[in-house]
Amino acid sequence: MLRVKNLTTGYDGVPVVFDVSLEVNQAEFVAIVGSNGAGKTTILRTISGLLKPISGEIEFEGKQIHKLSAHEIVRLGIAHVPEGRHVFGKMSVKDNLLMGAYTLNDRAKVNKLLNEVFEIFPRLKERENQKAETLSGGEQQMLAVGRALMAEPKLMLVDEMSLGLMPMMVDKVLETLKQINKEKGVTILLVEQKVQEALEMADRGYVLQTGRIVAHGTGKELLESDLVKKAYLGM
Amino acid sequence: MSMLAQLVVTGALIGSVYSLVAVGLTLVWGLMDILNFAHGDFMMISMYTVFWLYALLKWDPLVSLPIAALVAAMIGLLTYKLVIKRVLNAPGLMALLATFGLSLFIRNFAQFLWSPNYRFVGESILSGKKLMIFDVIVGLPQLVAALGSIGMTFAVALFIKKTKFGKAIQATAQSREIAELMGVDTEKVYMFTFALSGICVGVAGTLLSGIFPVYPESGAMYGLLAFVIVALGGFGNIWGAFYAGIMIGLAETIGGFYLGTQFKYAIAFLIYLLVLQFRPKGLFGW
């Protein structure tokens, strides 16, 4: 579904990600793990069009997308849940969700999606008229995920869900993602520095170190590999 | 007593036109943190548009309104495309200097083309007509200018608040990047907002062109007052600009009457300085 080929990307022509290739198949749950500063976010930002690659290619459903701008890429069915939540704080919860469906013009469909999101996150329904900035961190994260779902994405890019959330909340949001992946068939590419949690959840994973992929395999394989055990799990 | 009533009415009428000028300015500020120093000069261009349509084709200002608004919208759009876009990612001061330079250019170019002479739109359907309400005299041109300005302000506020594209503008104002991720073509949003800002000031200019003389500096004071109003109303806040505009209109009319008209602008700027001391985010700021 998504193929990243020999991608080198970074900021203002200075690369921070080198020659990365990865693949995400239909309905898969894939995780890119690595420590802070490894370049995980940079990869996601390049896929969603916020950054332009220095070299390499990105293909989505057989179509090259790395020359498109971000708002065009959304329309192909890629929704990006950005790091640090980034909801529209001054807008109501409901308006935030409606912004997520900006690319859709069918009202009935938007309402249906809205109800589905409220079903997954009943808390958002309770607060639908509140300004998003008044939500707790966990609720804002739910809102960011809900907003991405409103675009009816085929592929969801999820950046560092765990950031600033308490551990219990992290597990909860990750489980919700898994549920979305299994029940709705939304393909997920997750980026996470909570290596263990992410790999337990994911079908497959890639390990990123200082901008390069150093290992990949199923979640289980990676968790049992010496590299991951030593570098990330302290074993 | 009847004097005060007269002053309040006169002040509120002119204040509502100030509001509309300020709404145009605050739209752009709210969206991209850019203060457009040439804003008042867009108004001058729309006033000249009305004047020339009157002088050459005998068009009534109210008939010229859509054309003058369109001209101002185009100027706004061109300003974005040719000037603002190039300094958008530079430090804030660059945009400030760029629009300041643009303002000087527009004024001097207008002077070059049309001379610094005062011109007047001598006749219109409204000119010279008045209403008497109890013992308060209301000039019809002023009344129409005020009602038109209030109507336009409401229309803009509703558009931003209620429509899908209006919400996209709000979203882009909060984060351009995240709005892009929602599928908003933020370049379009920027272009549109600059054009809308031009329309606001173009409508205001048209409505005033039957009342005030038209000359290259005729927008300058309005531009300056609009800054004061935007700051008082809270940067980016449309309703704040509306209330603050009326307030400044009242203050300068009432204060000008009792202290002398030569002080009327001094009063407006004094209020501005005082309010900034105590509420730097404006009276209606967040």
Side-chain angles (χ1 to χ4, degrees), chain A residues 54-186:
Chain A
I54 296 168
S55 66
E57 284 174 18
I58 302 170
E59 244 175 49
F60 181 65
E61 294 186 317
K63 194 180 163 201
Q64 289 205 345
I65 60 166
H66 57 268
K67 293 206 175 90
L68 301 180
S69 54
H71 67 265
E72 293 168 321
I73 291 175
V74 189
R75 283 170 202 271
L76 301 176
I78 301 182
H80 184 164
V81 183
E83 183 184 33
R85 302 182 275 276
H86 286 299
V87 294
F88 299 114
K90 307 277 176 209
M91 291 164 85
S92 71
V93 168
K94 192 176 171 190
D95 276 350
N96 265 274
L97 292 173
L98 292 178
M99 274 313 294
Y102 187 77
T103 51
L104 306 176
N105 289 319
D106 177 355
R107 268 222 175 147
K109 192 183 212 177
V110 172
N111 280 331
K112 188 175 146 262
L113 285 166
L114 195 61
N115 285 329
E116 283 176 23
V117 168
F118 283 151
E119 230 166 76
I120 301 172
F121 301 111
R123 184 64 68 83
L124 296 181
K125 172 77 184 161
E126 287 165 33
R127 321 223 145 175
E128 64 176 314
N129 295 317
Q130 244 170 277
K131 274 193 182 168
E133 63 188 357
T134 65
L135 300 184
S136 73
E139 288 164 348
Q140 287 189 19
Q141 187 68 72
M142 291 176 196
L143 180 55
V145 173
R147 189 179 60 184
L149 283 175
M150 290 295 292
E152 227 187 4
K154 296 173 192 158
L155 168 67
M156 226 161 96
L157 309 174
V158 185
D159 196 352
E160 214 81 70
M161 294 266 277
S162 67
L163 210 73
L165 293 187
M166 54 184 179
M168 205 185 76
M169 211 54 217
V170 174
D171 289 341
K172 207 179 148 198
V173 210
L174 280 173
E175 263 156 38
T176 312
L177 275 188
K178 188 78 186 171
Q179 187 194 340
I180 291 167
N181 171 244
K182 285 280 158 289
E183 287 169 16
K184 293 190 178 294
V186 178

Side-chain angles (χ1 to χ4, degrees), chain A residues 30-51:
Chain A
V30 177
I32 304 175
V33 296
S35 54
N36 200 6
K40 307 185 298 294
T41 297
T42 310
I43 294 178
L44 283 200
R45 288 170 63 87
T46 311
I47 296 173
S48 65
L50 293 175
L51 291 173

Side-chain angles (χ1 to χ4, degrees), chain A residues 45 48 50 70-71 74-75 80 82 86 88-91 95 98-105 147, chain B residues 161 164-165 167-168 170-172 174-187 189 286:
Chain A
R45 288 170 63 87
S48 65
L50 293 175
H71 67 265
V74 189
R75 283 170 202 271
H80 184 164
H86 286 299
F88 299 114
K90 307 277 176 209
M91 291 164 85
D95 276 350
L98 292 178
M99 274 313 294
Y102 187 77
T103 51
L104 306 176
N105 289 319
R147 189 179 60 184
Chain B
K161 205 167 162 51
K164 189 173 173 184
F165 196 74
K167 284 177 187 172
Q170 287 181 47
T172 308
Q174 289 172 57
S175 165
R176 181 174 194 179
E177 222 170 51
I178 308 299
E180 276 281 328
L181 290 181
M182 303 295 112
V184 177
D185 185 344
T186 56
E187 172 71 8
V189 167
W286 298 316

Side-chain angles (χ1 to χ4, degrees), chain B residues 7-18:
Chain B
L7 290 171
V8 168
V9 170
T10 309
L13 291 180
I14 188 67
S16 41
V17 183
Y18 290 168

